Amino acid sequence: SAPIIQIVNQTMPSVTLTSSFNPSTFNDLVTFTTIVSSSSATTPTGTVIFSDESGVLGIVALNGSGQAALALSTLLPGSHTIV
């Protein structure tokens, strides 16, 4: 019989980012939490790089639930776009 070509597409993960305290005041401890989920049966692995306009704020490994959290009290006053 003739061979066939099977194409398997990778699933795209779903990523959410939340803040524990928004708005906050100077010196408040704010925790940013990222949840990575996938429609596949495996739990996502890897690291999350949290950053804002000033650069990298922290690098955190995903836990066994696909979550990574970064707690900071060093954000300067003003608006910050966290990615």
Side-chain angles (χ1 to χ4, degrees):
S1 69
I4 62 168
I5 297 173
Q6 175 67 45
I7 299 172
V8 179
N9 293 319
Q10 182 177 1
T11 60
M12 295 300 298
S14 170
V15 180
T16 59
L17 173 63
T18 59
S19 170
S20 64
F21 200 30
N22 190 16
S24 62
T25 56
F26 184 63
N27 286 333
D28 280 346
L29 183 64
V30 179
T31 301
F32 298 102
T33 303
T34 297
I35 301 172
V36 181
S37 59
S38 175
S39 60
S40 69
T42 59
T43 301
T45 60
T47 55
V48 174
I49 301 172
F50 293 90
S51 61
D52 71 359
E53 302 82 9
S54 68
V56 173
L57 300 172
I59 301 172
V60 181
L62 290 170
N63 65 17
S65 299
Q67 298 180 2
L70 177 69
L72 298 172
S73 61
T74 56
L75 291 173
L76 297 175
S79 178
H80 297 268
T81 301
I82 308 298
V83 293

